[in-house]
Amino acid sequence: MNALVSPRKATPHHARELTETLAWLRLCAVSGQALTVAVVAFAFRLPIPLLPLAGGIAALAAFGAFAFWRLRQPWPVSAAEAFGHIAVDIGVLAFLLYCSGGVTNPFVSLLVMPIALAAAALPRRHVMAVALLASAAYLALIPWHLPLPSLPSAAGGNFNLHVVGMAINFGVIAAVLAFFISRLARALREREAQIQREHERALRDEGILAIATQAAGTAHELNTPLSTIRTLLGELRRERTDGALAGDLDLLIGQADRCRDILRELVAIGRRQLAGTPRKMPLAEFVRDCESHFHLLRPEVELRTSMGEGAEVRIIEAEPNLRHAVINLLSNAADASLAAGSSVIELGVVAGRRVAEVFVRDHGKGSSIAPGTGTAFQTSKQHGLGLGLALAHATAERLGGDLSAEALADGGWLQRLRVPLSAADNRGL
C-alpha cells in the first residue's frame, strides 16, 4: 500500500485547497481592481475605457460567486477543474490589462501569480499548461492593447504613475506569497501528515487482523486438548482425595474451566460481532462487568471504582471488544503501578448526553511511551507484546471515539477512553 503522495501528482484534496485559495484571492482581486479603476477614473480623471473594465470586473465577480457555490458541493474538485479556474482568472486579467496599457501596465507581473499557485498543488502537466497560457497572454499584450492616457506634466507625468503602480503591485505580490501560498502549503502538509497517519493505522489494523486470524485458529485447535485435560483432571480428582493434591487438582480444574469459558466467550463474541448486535446495558453495569473480569485476571491488584452522575441510568450499546479494551487499559495500569511498588489503580466513568468517558489511572513512575499515543505494537515493559494498547486504540477509533493520556504531576498516567453511548453515533465525536 502506497499511502504517500508523489510530489508529481496531485490528489483531489490538493486541487480543492488550491480552488479555495483561488476563490479568496479572486474576491480580493475584484475589490482591488474595482478600487483601482475608481481611483484612476475619478481621482486622476483619466479617460480609461470604464465600461469594458467594469464589465470584466463584473464577470470575474460572477465567476467568483459561482466558485464559492461550487466549493459547497459534495463532489471532489479535480486538477483539470482547478486548471479551468486558473484559466478563467488569466483570461479576465489579460482582458483588463488589454484595456489598460498591456505590458506597460505595472500590474502585468500579476500574470506570474497563477503559475506560482499552480506549482504548489497541481500536476506538472497542468503547471506547464498554466505557464504557457500566462506566457501567451503576456506576449499577446505586447502588440495588442489599448494605451494608457497620459497624465498632465504638472501632475508628474506617466512615470510617477507607473512607479506608484509598481509599488502597489510589489505589495500585492508580497502579500499573496506571504499569506495565501504559505496557507496553501500548510494545508498540504497537514493533508500529507493525515495520509501518513492513515497509512500507519492501516498497517496496525492489518497486524491486528493477522493476530485475530491466528488466534481464531489457535482457539479452534485448543478446544480438543483442553477438553482432554479437563476430563483427565476430573478423573484424577475422583481418585485422589488426600488434602494437598486434591487442592491442587481443584485449582487446575478451575483454571481449565476458566480456559474453556474464555474460548466459548471468544466464539460468542465473534457471533455477536458478525451479527452486529451490541449488548445494551446500563453504563454502571458495564463498568462492574469490566471490574469483575479484571479481578479474575489480576486478583493481586486493588481496583478502586467510581461512578459519575448518570452512570446507573444511562444505557450504553457495548460492543463485544469494548470490555477487552477497558481491561487492557486496566492491565497496563496495573503493571505500571506494580512496577512502582503500588498495587492500586483507579477506574472511573462519566456519562454525558451522547458520550461515555472511562478514566483509568495508575500510580506508576511513567514511561518513555505515553499510554495514549501508541498506535503500533509498542511497549515499555520488558516482557510486553504491545498488543493491549494497540487493540484499545483500534477499538476506540472503530467505535468513533478516541483514546488519550495525560501525565499527572504526582506520577503515573490518566487515560481517557471516550466512546458513543449509542452505536448509531459512532461516526465520530
Side-chain angles (χ1 to χ4, degrees):
M1 181 190 303
N2 181 18
L4 296 178
V5 179
S6 170
R8 297 189 178 186
K9 297 181 179 180
T11 67
H13 299 300
H14 295 168
R16 186 174 188 86
E17 294 288 351
L18 175 59
T19 306
E20 290 178 356
T21 300
L22 289 173
W24 289 106
L25 273 175
R26 197 174 294 116
L27 180 62
C28 297
V30 168
S31 303
Q33 290 164 358
L35 178 61
T36 302
V37 170
V39 169
V40 172
F42 300 107
F44 292 114
R45 299 185 180 276
L46 292 181
I48 58 176
L50 188 59
L51 187 59
L53 289 172
I57 295 172
L60 187 63
F63 182 75
F66 164 78
F68 278 109
W69 172 84
R70 166 64 183 88
L71 289 170
R72 296 178 60 185
Q73 307 309 309
W75 56 83
V77 179
S78 64
E81 183 178 352
F83 169 76
H85 284 241
I86 293 179
V88 171
D89 292 333
I90 292 176
V92 174
L93 179 58
F95 173 76
L96 296 177
L97 291 171
Y98 167 80
C99 296
S100 55
V103 293
T104 63
N105 190 314
F107 292 100
V108 71
S109 57
L110 288 177
L111 287 170
V112 177
M113 294 310 305
I115 304 175
L117 291 170
L122 293 185
R124 181 178 299 173
R125 64 180 183 274
H126 290 91
V127 176
M128 295 301 297
V130 171
L132 290 174
L133 184 60
S135 300
Y138 186 92
L139 293 175
L141 289 172
I142 296 175
W144 296 298
H145 60 268
L146 300 179
L148 282 173
S150 300
L151 278 174
S153 58
N158 274 5
F159 179 76
N160 287 344
L161 180 61
H162 189 81
V163 170
V164 172
M166 289 180 62
I168 297 175
N169 183 49
F170 177 82
V172 170
I173 294 178
V176 170
L177 290 175
F179 180 73
F180 285 100
I181 293 185
S182 62
R183 175 177 175 267
L184 177 61
R186 183 176 66 252
L188 296 184
R189 287 194 299 269
E190 291 174 354
R191 190 71 65 182
E192 296 292 345
Q194 181 181 357
I195 292 174
Q196 179 64 25
R197 288 193 297 269
E198 292 296 332
H199 176 64
E200 295 174 355
R201 187 177 295 116
L203 291 178
R204 181 206 61 197
D205 292 344
E206 288 178 5
I208 291 175
L209 179 60
I211 293 172
T213 303
Q214 185 67 27
T218 303
H220 177 71
E221 295 175 2
L222 284 176
N223 186 53
T224 299
L226 187 60
S227 298
T228 303
I229 292 173
R230 177 63 178 82
T231 302
L232 292 176
L233 287 174
E235 293 178 357
L236 287 173
R237 179 65 180 85
R238 286 191 294 272
E239 295 176 359
R240 303 287 183 173
T241 57
D242 50 306
L245 184 58
D248 292 339
L249 289 174
D250 288 338
L251 178 61
L252 290 175
I253 290 173
Q255 294 298 319
D257 290 338
R258 175 60 181 157
C259 292
R260 184 182 57 187
D261 293 340
I262 291 174
L263 290 179
R264 291 176 177 175
E265 183 180 3
L266 180 63
V267 174
I269 288 174
R271 289 174 179 171
R272 290 199 300 269
Q273 192 73 35
L274 290 175
T277 54
R279 293 177 57 193
K280 294 184 178 181
M281 63 178 71
L283 183 58
E285 180 182 343
F286 168 76
V287 173
R288 285 191 289 267
D289 182 49
C290 295
E291 182 181 11
S292 62
H293 279 78
F294 178 75
H295 279 310
L296 290 175
L297 294 174
R298 307 294 294 269
E300 76 279 9
V301 178
E302 179 184 352
L303 177 60
R304 299 175 181 175
T305 306
S306 61
M307 303 284 184
E309 184 179 357
E312 296 288 349
V313 296
R314 302 305 302 272
I315 302 298
I316 184 173
E317 297 184 12
E319 294 282 349
N321 49 5
L322 180 58
R323 187 187 68 191
H324 292 282
V326 175
I327 292 176
N328 284 332
L329 296 179
L330 291 172
S331 182
N332 286 344
D335 292 336
S337 291
L338 291 174
S342 173
S343 61
V344 177
I345 63 173
E346 300 174 18
L347 171 64
V349 63
V350 175
R353 188 172 62 90
R354 298 174 57 185
V355 177
E357 293 193 26
V358 179
F359 302 88
V360 177
R361 189 212 195 273
D362 64 68
H363 295 270
K365 297 179 180 179
S367 68
S368 59
I369 300 177
T373 59
T375 56
F377 302 141
Q378 298 175 328
T379 180
S380 60
K381 294 178 286 188
Q382 182 178 1
H383 303 291
L385 299 176
L387 290 176
L389 186 58
L391 291 172
H393 265 284
T395 299
E397 292 171 359
R398 192 180 63 81
L399 297 179
D402 59 75
L403 176 62
S404 61
E406 174 187 355
L408 301 177
D410 55 347
W413 292 91
L414 177 65
Q415 301 179 73
R416 291 185 175 89
L417 176 64
R418 300 174 68 245
V419 292
L421 288 170
S422 172
D425 297 330
N426 65 359
R427 293 177 296 274
L429 299 177

